[in-house]
Each structure stands twice: as structure tokens, then as C-alpha cells.
Amino acid sequence: MKVLVAVKRVIDYNVKIRVKPDHSDVDLTNVKMAMNPFCEIAVEEAVRLKERGVASEIVAVTVGPKAAQEQLRTALALGADRAIHVQTDERVESLGAAKALAKVVEDEQPELTILGKQAIDTDNNQTGQMLAALTGRPQGTFASEVAVEDGTLKVTREIDGGLQTVSLALPAIVTTDLRLNEPRYAKLPDIMKAKKKPLDTKTPEELGVEVASRLKLVSVEPPAERQGGVKVGSVDELVDKLKNEAKVIS
């Protein structure tokens, strides 16, 4: 079974975000970039499927600038067999990414496509669902467990009321949740081997899709700074401040 895994280049989650002085965008100068954490979970699940003998080939794919090849090499070091880079300098949104991925799915014909449920930079939680709609494939979102049994994909997904298990006919689309697995770290020998694994570069024009942004970014604002707390000397003083200053009790 061939598994296609989509990954995205984002600002490392440990980095404190800075906004440009003119508020036109996030400042990426000398900022550490990394693979989206949910995408790491998707790669890990694909590798585990291969280790169990379910998957025969793992193909990693990303849509983004030339620098995004770094994240593809990371996926290769983690266990992917080859990679596809849809290279573009456009600010790619969910629909543009889904259209590009749909063309890759059409070319590669994977039995299973795995994506992170959302990216930590935009938090849209849209690409997986849009890809399923464009390809006409069944989808299991927010997956906390994935199993292949007798040619059928069973996905346990997290919902508001608890857990729901759905049975999907392959080929299918899955988006990963945090509790699906814990991603491994790439070992140095695997990082060196990843440099020799095939990485194919395509352009949106070659795929016949348009990925340019349809939205205009008007302004980026940092979150409001939290006010410092105060210490009180007694319960009566606390009650007084809650009543007369915070006005949360009457």
C-alpha cells in the first residue's frame, strides 16, 4: 500500500513570534523553521504502518518555497522513501494547497493520504477536508487511532462527546490529532541517508493548478499583553477587589 504524507513548513513552535514594524506580516528574519507538529504525527503514523508491513512505500509532499525542501529531507530521515516538492513562492492557503495535493494524489494514486489536522501558523483545519472533497475520497478527521483491517481503514476520531470509530473504504484521506502517536527523532545515520533519497520538484504550472492567494492580508497584530497580577493581604481585600475593581461578583 502506498501512503502519501503532506507536510508543511512553519515557524518552530518554540520560537516567540514577532510582528514586522509596519504590521504587514510576521517577521521571519533569522527565525528557525520546522515541520508542522501535526505533520510530524502524520509522518510517524505512515512510518509505523510501514513497520507493521501495511504500507509498502511512503511519499512525502509539500507545497511551498525552495527552503521547504528542508522539511521534506526531515520526512525522508524519519522514514519516507521519496519526496515531491511543489515549489512556489506564493503565500499558499488551504484551497491552493488542496488543489496542488489533489493533482499529486491523481498522479501517485496512493491508497492512503495522511495530513496533519491543522497547521500551527494559520490554524485553519481545512486542507484535509478540501482534499477529500476534490478527490472524492472518504475522510477520517481528528484521528487518534488508525488501523487497516481486511482492506478497510478504521479510524477512531475525537469528537466533542468522546470517541467515534468510522470505517472507510480505501483509498482514503486521514487527518491526524495529537493523541495518535508520539513522533520519533531522526537519527544521524538516517539524516545522512535522507540526502541521497529522491526528491522530485514540480511547479503548480506543471500540475495545472493555481495556488496564488485569494485573500489580502490587511494587518497582523500581536496579542494584547497580559496585565500583571497583584497580591492581596487578606480574603476581605480579595473580595473587595473582585467586587469593586474586577466587578466579577456583586
Side-chain angles (χ1 to χ4, degrees):
M1 180 173 77
K2 181 190 291 187
V3 179
L4 185 75
V5 184
V7 301
K8 185 180 182 181
R9 176 181 174 87
V10 298
I11 297 176
D12 188 281
Y13 69 91
N14 291 306
V15 174
K16 184 177 180 180
I17 304 299
R18 302 192 308 269
V19 176
K20 290 182 177 180
D22 62 359
H23 297 276
S24 62
D25 207 339
V26 172
D27 189 356
L28 298 180
T29 306
N30 298 322
V31 171
K32 181 183 178 183
M33 306 297 285
M35 186 189 300
N36 178 49
F38 288 98
C39 298
E40 290 181 345
I41 295 171
V43 173
E44 174 66 25
E45 192 62 24
V47 173
R48 293 189 183 192
L49 288 172
K50 188 174 182 181
E51 290 174 343
R52 295 200 296 265
V54 176
S56 57
E57 184 184 24
I58 302 172
V59 183
V61 58
T62 193
V63 183
K66 184 176 182 179
Q69 291 187 9
E70 177 186 356
Q71 281 63 54
L72 286 177
R73 291 296 179 190
T74 300
L76 292 170
L78 291 171
D81 298 295
R82 58 188 177 90
I84 299 173
H85 181 203
V86 182
Q87 185 172 325
T88 177
D89 291 325
E90 297 282 355
R91 184 167 62 88
V92 182
E93 294 161 352
S94 302
L95 182 57
K99 287 181 177 180
L101 291 174
K103 287 295 184 180
V104 175
V105 168
E106 182 182 327
D107 293 340
E108 293 290 332
Q109 290 298 312
E111 284 78 15
L112 177 61
T113 303
I114 310 178
L115 308 87
K117 73 170 184 177
Q118 65 196 77
I120 62 172
D121 54 356
T122 57
D123 262 349
N124 285 335
N125 182 15
Q126 296 174 331
T127 305
Q129 293 87 326
M130 289 177 171
L131 177 60
L134 291 170
T135 58
R137 297 187 172 196
Q139 61 178 311
T141 56
F142 317 123
S144 61
E145 185 177 346
V146 175
V148 179
E149 300 175 2
D150 300 324
T152 301
L153 186 70
K154 289 191 176 180
V155 178
T156 301
R157 54 191 305 268
E158 301 195 1
I159 59 175
D160 290 341
L163 298 176
Q164 178 190 62
T165 301
V166 295
S167 181
L168 308 176
L170 294 171
I173 311 288
V174 169
T175 66
T176 63
D177 213 333
L178 282 172
R179 280 160 287 279
L180 179 58
N181 60 54
E182 184 175 342
R184 69 192 70 189
Y185 291 100
K187 299 177 182 178
L188 182 57
D190 295 326
I191 294 173
M192 300 305 293
K193 292 177 183 177
K195 295 180 180 180
K196 298 181 180 180
K197 290 184 178 180
L199 193 158
D200 187 19
T201 301
K202 301 178 183 292
T203 64
E205 291 74 22
E206 290 173 343
L207 295 175
V209 296
E210 174 63 52
V211 299
S213 174
R214 296 171 180 265
L215 301 177
K216 180 180 179 181
L217 183 59
V218 177
S219 177
V220 177
E221 301 290 338
E225 293 187 8
R226 295 180 60 181
Q227 299 296 319
V230 296
K231 292 183 178 181
V232 295
S234 66
V235 173
D236 290 339
E237 185 181 354
L238 173 63
V239 172
D240 179 68
K241 286 184 177 294
L242 291 175
K243 183 177 180 179
N244 298 313
E245 294 184 18
K247 300 186 184 300
V248 295
I249 62 174
S250 57

PDB file of all heavy atoms in Angstrom, residues 150-178:
ATOM      1  N   ASP A 150      -8.405  -6.027   6.672  1.00  0.00           N
ATOM      2  CA  ASP A 150      -9.059  -6.643   5.509  1.00  0.00           C
ATOM      3  C   ASP A 150      -9.377  -5.623   4.413  1.00  0.00           C
ATOM      4  O   ASP A 150     -10.473  -5.620   3.843  1.00  0.00           O
ATOM      5  CB  ASP A 150     -10.342  -7.362   5.937  1.00  0.00           C
ATOM      6  CG  ASP A 150     -10.072  -8.462   6.946  1.00  0.00           C
ATOM      7  OD1 ASP A 150      -9.022  -9.121   6.826  1.00  0.00           O
ATOM      8  OD2 ASP A 150     -10.897  -8.645   7.860  1.00  0.00           O
ATOM      9  N   GLY A 151      -8.409  -4.751   4.147  1.00  0.00           N
ATOM     10  CA  GLY A 151      -8.588  -3.766   3.085  1.00  0.00           C
ATOM     11  C   GLY A 151      -9.474  -2.598   3.441  1.00  0.00           C
ATOM     12  O   GLY A 151      -9.808  -1.779   2.580  1.00  0.00           O
ATOM     13  N   THR A 152      -9.882  -2.513   4.704  1.00  0.00           N
ATOM     14  CA  THR A 152     -10.724  -1.415   5.178  1.00  0.00           C
ATOM     15  C   THR A 152      -9.965  -0.601   6.219  1.00  0.00           C
ATOM     16  O   THR A 152      -9.260  -1.159   7.060  1.00  0.00           O
ATOM     17  CB  THR A 152     -12.033  -1.955   5.789  1.00  0.00           C
ATOM     18  OG1 THR A 152     -12.737  -2.701   4.797  1.00  0.00           O
ATOM     19  CG2 THR A 152     -12.914  -0.808   6.258  1.00  0.00           C
ATOM     20  N   LEU A 153     -10.127   0.714   6.156  1.00  0.00           N
ATOM     21  CA  LEU A 153      -9.453   1.599   7.098  1.00  0.00           C
ATOM     22  C   LEU A 153     -10.411   1.950   8.229  1.00  0.00           C
ATOM     23  O   LEU A 153     -11.509   2.458   7.990  1.00  0.00           O
ATOM     24  CB  LEU A 153      -8.985   2.872   6.388  1.00  0.00           C
ATOM     25  CG  LEU A 153      -8.134   3.836   7.212  1.00  0.00           C
ATOM     26  CD1 LEU A 153      -6.762   3.235   7.480  1.00  0.00           C
ATOM     27  CD2 LEU A 153      -7.993   5.169   6.488  1.00  0.00           C
ATOM     28  N   LYS A 154      -9.996   1.662   9.462  1.00  0.00           N
ATOM     29  CA  LYS A 154     -10.798   2.026  10.622  1.00  0.00           C
ATOM     30  C   LYS A 154     -10.105   3.166  11.343  1.00  0.00           C
ATOM     31  O   LYS A 154      -8.943   3.057  11.738  1.00  0.00           O
ATOM     32  CB  LYS A 154     -10.998   0.830  11.545  1.00  0.00           C
ATOM     33  CG  LYS A 154     -11.929  -0.228  10.960  1.00  0.00           C
ATOM     34  CD  LYS A 154     -12.328  -1.263  11.985  1.00  0.00           C
ATOM     35  CE  LYS A 154     -13.337  -2.243  11.387  1.00  0.00           C
ATOM     36  NZ  LYS A 154     -13.750  -3.277  12.370  1.00  0.00           N
ATOM     37  N   VAL A 155     -10.830   4.254  11.518  1.00  0.00           N
ATOM     38  CA  VAL A 155     -10.282   5.457  12.134  1.00  0.00           C
ATOM     39  C   VAL A 155     -11.090   5.796  13.381  1.00  0.00           C
ATOM     40  O   VAL A 155     -12.308   5.969  13.311  1.00  0.00           O
ATOM     41  CB  VAL A 155     -10.314   6.655  11.152  1.00  0.00           C
ATOM     42  CG1 VAL A 155      -9.793   7.913  11.828  1.00  0.00           C
ATOM     43  CG2 VAL A 155      -9.510   6.347   9.903  1.00  0.00           C
ATOM     44  N   THR A 156     -10.394   5.854  14.514  1.00  0.00           N
ATOM     45  CA  THR A 156     -11.012   6.344  15.742  1.00  0.00           C
ATOM     46  C   THR A 156     -10.737   7.826  15.828  1.00  0.00           C
ATOM     47  O   THR A 156      -9.579   8.256  15.826  1.00  0.00           O
ATOM     48  CB  THR A 156     -10.441   5.622  16.977  1.00  0.00           C
ATOM     49  OG1 THR A 156     -10.680   4.221  16.845  1.00  0.00           O
ATOM     50  CG2 THR A 156     -11.109   6.131  18.249  1.00  0.00           C
ATOM     51  N   ARG A 157     -11.792   8.612  15.853  1.00  0.00           N
ATOM     52  CA  ARG A 157     -11.645  10.065  15.803  1.00  0.00           C
ATOM     53  C   ARG A 157     -12.217  10.714  17.051  1.00  0.00           C
ATOM     54  O   ARG A 157     -13.175  10.213  17.653  1.00  0.00           O
ATOM     55  CB  ARG A 157     -12.310  10.628  14.539  1.00  0.00           C
ATOM     56  CG  ARG A 157     -13.758  10.238  14.332  1.00  0.00           C
ATOM     57  CD  ARG A 157     -14.245  10.618  12.929  1.00  0.00           C
ATOM     58  NE  ARG A 157     -14.048  12.022  12.660  1.00  0.00           N
ATOM     59  CZ  ARG A 157     -14.976  12.944  12.910  1.00  0.00           C
ATOM     60  NH1 ARG A 157     -16.140  12.611  13.457  1.00  0.00           N
ATOM     61  NH2 ARG A 157     -14.732  14.202  12.623  1.00  0.00           N
ATOM     62  N   GLU A 158     -11.608  11.826  17.431  1.00  0.00           N
ATOM     63  CA  GLU A 158     -12.022  12.528  18.631  1.00  0.00           C
ATOM     64  C   GLU A 158     -13.115  13.539  18.302  1.00  0.00           C
ATOM     65  O   GLU A 158     -12.955  14.379  17.426  1.00  0.00           O
ATOM     66  CB  GLU A 158     -10.816  13.223  19.262  1.00  0.00           C
ATOM     67  CG  GLU A 158      -9.715  12.249  19.637  1.00  0.00           C
ATOM     68  CD  GLU A 158      -8.688  12.840  20.577  1.00  0.00           C
ATOM     69  OE1 GLU A 158      -8.843  14.016  20.951  1.00  0.00           O
ATOM     70  OE2 GLU A 158      -7.749  12.123  20.944  1.00  0.00           O
ATOM     71  N   ILE A 159     -14.232  13.404  19.018  1.00  0.00           N
ATOM     72  CA  ILE A 159     -15.357  14.317  18.836  1.00  0.00           C
ATOM     73  C   ILE A 159     -15.710  14.918  20.193  1.00  0.00           C
ATOM     74  O   ILE A 159     -15.178  14.514  21.222  1.00  0.00           O
ATOM     75  CB  ILE A 159     -16.575  13.600  18.217  1.00  0.00           C
ATOM     76  CG1 ILE A 159     -17.016  12.437  19.114  1.00  0.00           C
ATOM     77  CG2 ILE A 159     -16.246  13.088  16.821  1.00  0.00           C
ATOM     78  CD1 ILE A 159     -18.276  11.744  18.637  1.00  0.00           C
ATOM     79  N   ASP A 160     -16.639  15.867  20.201  1.00  0.00           N
ATOM     80  CA  ASP A 160     -16.972  16.562  21.446  1.00  0.00           C
ATOM     81  C   ASP A 160     -17.461  15.598  22.523  1.00  0.00           C
ATOM     82  O   ASP A 160     -17.169  15.776  23.703  1.00  0.00           O
ATOM     83  CB  ASP A 160     -18.044  17.624  21.188  1.00  0.00           C
ATOM     84  CG  ASP A 160     -17.515  18.792  20.374  1.00  0.00           C
ATOM     85  OD1 ASP A 160     -16.281  18.947  20.339  1.00  0.00           O
ATOM     86  OD2 ASP A 160     -18.318  19.524  19.786  1.00  0.00           O
ATOM     87  N   GLY A 161     -18.210  14.574  22.128  1.00  0.00           N
ATOM     88  CA  GLY A 161     -18.791  13.662  23.104  1.00  0.00           C
ATOM     89  C   GLY A 161     -17.900  12.495  23.486  1.00  0.00           C
ATOM     90  O   GLY A 161     -18.299  11.649  24.287  1.00  0.00           O
ATOM     91  N   GLY A 162     -16.703  12.406  22.910  1.00  0.00           N
ATOM     92  CA  GLY A 162     -15.817  11.290  23.219  1.00  0.00           C
ATOM     93  C   GLY A 162     -15.084  10.801  21.984  1.00  0.00           C
ATOM     94  O   GLY A 162     -14.427  11.570  21.295  1.00  0.00           O
ATOM     95  N   LEU A 163     -15.229   9.499  21.676  1.00  0.00           N
ATOM     96  CA  LEU A 163     -14.551   8.897  20.536  1.00  0.00           C
ATOM     97  C   LEU A 163     -15.576   8.272  19.589  1.00  0.00           C
ATOM     98  O   LEU A 163     -16.571   7.697  20.017  1.00  0.00           O
ATOM     99  CB  LEU A 163     -13.565   7.814  20.996  1.00  0.00           C
ATOM    100  CG  LEU A 163     -12.419   8.263  21.900  1.00  0.00           C
ATOM    101  CD1 LEU A 163     -11.596   7.070  22.339  1.00  0.00           C
ATOM    102  CD2 LEU A 163     -11.529   9.278  21.185  1.00  0.00           C
ATOM    103  N   GLN A 164     -15.300   8.387  18.304  1.00  0.00           N
ATOM    104  CA  GLN A 164     -16.148   7.803  17.273  1.00  0.00           C
ATOM    105  C   GLN A 164     -15.271   6.999  16.321  1.00  0.00           C
ATOM    106  O   GLN A 164     -14.223   7.475  15.899  1.00  0.00           O
ATOM    107  CB  GLN A 164     -16.877   8.908  16.498  1.00  0.00           C
ATOM    108  CG  GLN A 164     -17.757   8.399  15.358  1.00  0.00           C
ATOM    109  CD  GLN A 164     -18.262   9.549  14.481  1.00  0.00           C
ATOM    110  OE1 GLN A 164     -17.486  10.255  13.870  1.00  0.00           O
ATOM    111  NE2 GLN A 164     -19.572   9.726  14.454  1.00  0.00           N
ATOM    112  N   THR A 165     -15.674   5.783  16.024  1.00  0.00           N
ATOM    113  CA  THR A 165     -14.921   4.942  15.086  1.00  0.00           C
ATOM    114  C   THR A 165     -15.682   4.852  13.775  1.00  0.00           C
ATOM    115  O   THR A 165     -16.867   4.511  13.757  1.00  0.00           O
ATOM    116  CB  THR A 165     -14.698   3.525  15.652  1.00  0.00           C
ATOM    117  OG1 THR A 165     -13.974   3.630  16.883  1.00  0.00           O
ATOM    118  CG2 THR A 165     -13.886   2.685  14.685  1.00  0.00           C
ATOM    119  N   VAL A 166     -14.978   5.172  12.682  1.00  0.00           N
ATOM    120  CA  VAL A 166     -15.587   5.105  11.356  1.00  0.00           C
ATOM    121  C   VAL A 166     -14.811   4.108  10.509  1.00  0.00           C
ATOM    122  O   VAL A 166     -13.609   3.913  10.688  1.00  0.00           O
ATOM    123  CB  VAL A 166     -15.611   6.488  10.667  1.00  0.00           C
ATOM    124  CG1 VAL A 166     -16.500   7.447  11.420  1.00  0.00           C
ATOM    125  CG2 VAL A 166     -14.208   7.068  10.549  1.00  0.00           C
ATOM    126  N   SER A 167     -15.497   3.470   9.590  1.00  0.00           N
ATOM    127  CA  SER A 167     -14.883   2.513   8.678  1.00  0.00           C
ATOM    128  C   SER A 167     -14.886   3.114   7.282  1.00  0.00           C
ATOM    129  O   SER A 167     -15.944   3.512   6.774  1.00  0.00           O
ATOM    130  CB  SER A 167     -15.667   1.195   8.690  1.00  0.00           C
ATOM    131  OG  SER A 167     -15.076   0.256   7.829  1.00  0.00           O
ATOM    132  N   LEU A 168     -13.705   3.206   6.668  1.00  0.00           N
ATOM    133  CA  LEU A 168     -13.554   3.864   5.378  1.00  0.00           C
ATOM    134  C   LEU A 168     -13.060   2.872   4.333  1.00  0.00           C
ATOM    135  O   LEU A 168     -12.188   2.044   4.599  1.00  0.00           O
ATOM    136  CB  LEU A 168     -12.561   5.023   5.465  1.00  0.00           C
ATOM    137  CG  LEU A 168     -12.781   6.075   6.556  1.00  0.00           C
ATOM    138  CD1 LEU A 168     -11.651   7.091   6.541  1.00  0.00           C
ATOM    139  CD2 LEU A 168     -14.123   6.767   6.364  1.00  0.00           C
ATOM    140  N   ALA A 169     -13.620   2.976   3.150  1.00  0.00           N
ATOM    141  CA  ALA A 169     -13.118   2.190   2.024  1.00  0.00           C
ATOM    142  C   ALA A 169     -11.891   2.880   1.461  1.00  0.00           C
ATOM    143  O   ALA A 169     -11.864   4.102   1.298  1.00  0.00           O
ATOM    144  CB  ALA A 169     -14.200   2.059   0.957  1.00  0.00           C
ATOM    145  N   LEU A 170     -10.861   2.122   1.186  1.00  0.00           N
ATOM    146  CA  LEU A 170      -9.651   2.677   0.579  1.00  0.00           C
ATOM    147  C   LEU A 170      -9.849   2.871  -0.911  1.00  0.00           C
ATOM    148  O   LEU A 170     -10.580   2.102  -1.535  1.00  0.00           O
ATOM    149  CB  LEU A 170      -8.466   1.749   0.846  1.00  0.00           C
ATOM    150  CG  LEU A 170      -8.041   1.630   2.314  1.00  0.00           C
ATOM    151  CD1 LEU A 170      -7.008   0.527   2.487  1.00  0.00           C
ATOM    152  CD2 LEU A 170      -7.489   2.954   2.823  1.00  0.00           C
ATOM    153  N   PRO A 171      -9.246   3.879  -1.529  1.00  0.00           N
ATOM    154  CA  PRO A 171      -8.332   4.880  -0.966  1.00  0.00           C
ATOM    155  C   PRO A 171      -9.065   5.931  -0.132  1.00  0.00           C
ATOM    156  O   PRO A 171     -10.233   6.229  -0.397  1.00  0.00           O
ATOM    157  CB  PRO A 171      -7.686   5.500  -2.207  1.00  0.00           C
ATOM    158  CG  PRO A 171      -8.707   5.341  -3.278  1.00  0.00           C
ATOM    159  CD  PRO A 171      -9.402   4.032  -3.003  1.00  0.00           C
ATOM    160  N   ALA A 172      -8.360   6.479   0.870  1.00  0.00           N
ATOM    161  CA  ALA A 172      -9.000   7.395   1.807  1.00  0.00           C
ATOM    162  C   ALA A 172      -8.035   8.496   2.235  1.00  0.00           C
ATOM    163  O   ALA A 172      -6.831   8.432   1.976  1.00  0.00           O
ATOM    164  CB  ALA A 172      -9.500   6.623   3.022  1.00  0.00           C
ATOM    165  N   ILE A 173      -8.613   9.496   2.922  1.00  0.00           N
ATOM    166  CA  ILE A 173      -7.865  10.632   3.454  1.00  0.00           C
ATOM    167  C   ILE A 173      -8.011  10.623   4.972  1.00  0.00           C
ATOM    168  O   ILE A 173      -9.113  10.449   5.493  1.00  0.00           O
ATOM    169  CB  ILE A 173      -8.405  11.980   2.914  1.00  0.00           C
ATOM    170  CG1 ILE A 173      -8.558  11.959   1.381  1.00  0.00           C
ATOM    171  CG2 ILE A 173      -7.537  13.136   3.392  1.00  0.00           C
ATOM    172  CD1 ILE A 173      -7.289  11.996   0.618  1.00  0.00           C
ATOM    173  N   VAL A 174      -6.899  10.835   5.692  1.00  0.00           N
ATOM    174  CA  VAL A 174      -6.929  10.884   7.154  1.00  0.00           C
ATOM    175  C   VAL A 174      -6.189  12.135   7.625  1.00  0.00           C
ATOM    176  O   VAL A 174      -5.123  12.467   7.099  1.00  0.00           O
ATOM    177  CB  VAL A 174      -6.281   9.625   7.777  1.00  0.00           C
ATOM    178  CG1 VAL A 174      -6.080   9.803   9.282  1.00  0.00           C
ATOM    179  CG2 VAL A 174      -7.138   8.400   7.513  1.00  0.00           C
ATOM    180  N   THR A 175      -6.763  12.827   8.618  1.00  0.00           N
ATOM    181  CA  THR A 175      -6.047  13.932   9.261  1.00  0.00           C
ATOM    182  C   THR A 175      -5.788  13.549  10.719  1.00  0.00           C
ATOM    183  O   THR A 175      -6.652  12.979  11.378  1.00  0.00           O
ATOM    184  CB  THR A 175      -6.822  15.263   9.192  1.00  0.00           C
ATOM    185  OG1 THR A 175      -8.020  15.180   9.970  1.00  0.00           O
ATOM    186  CG2 THR A 175      -7.178  15.601   7.760  1.00  0.00           C
ATOM    187  N   THR A 176      -4.601  13.874  11.203  1.00  0.00           N
ATOM    188  CA  THR A 176      -4.142  13.365  12.489  1.00  0.00           C
ATOM    189  C   THR A 176      -4.401  14.334  13.633  1.00  0.00           C
ATOM    190  O   THR A 176      -4.287  15.550  13.488  1.00  0.00           O
ATOM    191  CB  THR A 176      -2.629  13.085  12.438  1.00  0.00           C
ATOM    192  OG1 THR A 176      -1.931  14.314  12.194  1.00  0.00           O
ATOM    193  CG2 THR A 176      -2.310  12.107  11.330  1.00  0.00           C
ATOM    194  N   ASP A 177      -4.724  13.767  14.802  1.00  0.00           N
ATOM    195  CA  ASP A 177      -4.860  14.539  16.027  1.00  0.00           C
ATOM    196  C   ASP A 177      -3.636  14.291  16.909  1.00  0.00           C
ATOM    197  O   ASP A 177      -2.823  13.407  16.634  1.00  0.00           O
ATOM    198  CB  ASP A 177      -6.146  14.156  16.767  1.00  0.00           C
ATOM    199  CG  ASP A 177      -6.750  15.334  17.518  1.00  0.00           C
ATOM    200  OD1 ASP A 177      -5.978  16.240  17.892  1.00  0.00           O
ATOM    201  OD2 ASP A 177      -7.982  15.357  17.729  1.00  0.00           O
ATOM    202  N   LEU A 178      -3.537  15.038  17.993  1.00  0.00           N
ATOM    203  CA  LEU A 178      -2.346  14.987  18.841  1.00  0.00           C
ATOM    204  C   LEU A 178      -2.123  13.625  19.480  1.00  0.00           C
ATOM    205  O   LEU A 178      -1.000  13.195  19.681  1.00  0.00           O
ATOM    206  CB  LEU A 178      -2.442  16.049  19.945  1.00  0.00           C
ATOM    207  CG  LEU A 178      -2.125  17.492  19.548  1.00  0.00           C
ATOM    208  CD1 LEU A 178      -2.447  18.436  20.693  1.00  0.00           C
ATOM    209  CD2 LEU A 178      -0.676  17.629  19.142  1.00  0.00           C
TER     210      LEU A 178
END
